[in-house]
């Protein structure tokens, strides 16, 4: 979309539940399926039906005007395998309290746990690192095992893109958060 001042915008339907299209199981699809008939999703949306994202004047990124719009865009980037964008957005998608709209968007991350791309592990770990301070009773409790994600991150470390690499401090924090199974060690190579 474009207004009379030549400002550009992207309009995305927020009342559609985003899901990854599952194909034959041999590979992970990056196609998005938008379920516009999910009544529970729609009722949690409140008055918002669409998210309007202004395009930055550089035309290189979208501006997210709210937490819900940031989280929705992050989920869409995750579904489409745009992990570097997910990684950049993680820190802006955190809050102590979530509305029902924000909570249902955050809960969609649970369904992206079968994404085994090295950068997907890094993105889930980054989200775990930035939400750790919210506590165990937080609505933003990550639905994956930090230990399992860390194990996969270490195994695939050489294949994690530089844009999605965790800092040393984040890695140390996540290692402290990891509770391994009895008798198992993280791989060293």
């Amino acid at each position: 979309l474009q207004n009379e001042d030549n400002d550009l915008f992207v309009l995305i339907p927020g009342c559609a539940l985003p899901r990854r299209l599952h194909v034959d199981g041999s590979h992970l699809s990056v196609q998005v399926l938008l379920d516009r008939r999910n009544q529970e999703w729609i009722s949690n949306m409140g008055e918002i039906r669409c998210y309007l994202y202004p395009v930055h004047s550089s035309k290189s990124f979208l501006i997210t005007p709210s937490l819900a719009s940031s989280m929705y865009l992050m989920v869409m980037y995750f579904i489409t395998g745009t992990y570097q964008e997910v990684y950049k957005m993680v820190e802006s998608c955190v809050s102590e309290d979530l509305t029902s709209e924000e909570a249902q968007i955050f809960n969609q991350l649970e369904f992206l746990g079968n994404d085994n791309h090295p950068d997907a592990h890094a993105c889930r770990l980054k989200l775990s690192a930035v939400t750790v301070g919210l506590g165990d009773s937080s609505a933003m409790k990550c639905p994956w095992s930090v230990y399992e994600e860390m194990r996969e991150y270490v195994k695939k470390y050489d294949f994690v893109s530089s844009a999605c690499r965790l800092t040393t401090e984040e890695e140390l924090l996540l290692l402290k958060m990891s509770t391994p199974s009895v008798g198992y060690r993280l791989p060293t190579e």
Side-chain angles (χ1 to χ4, degrees), residues 61-75:
F61 62 92
L62 302 176
I63 298 167
T64 54
S66 69
L67 177 60
S69 67
S70 293
M71 293 172 79
Y72 195 83
L73 186 59
M74 183 180 72
V75 167

Side-chain angles (χ1 to χ4, degrees), residues 145-152 178-181 184-186:
S145 162
V146 173
Y147 174 77
E148 292 297 323
E149 291 297 329
M150 194 64 181
R151 184 178 70 162
E152 292 301 313
S178 298
T179 52
S181 304
Y184 189 85
R185 292 180 8 161
L186 284 172

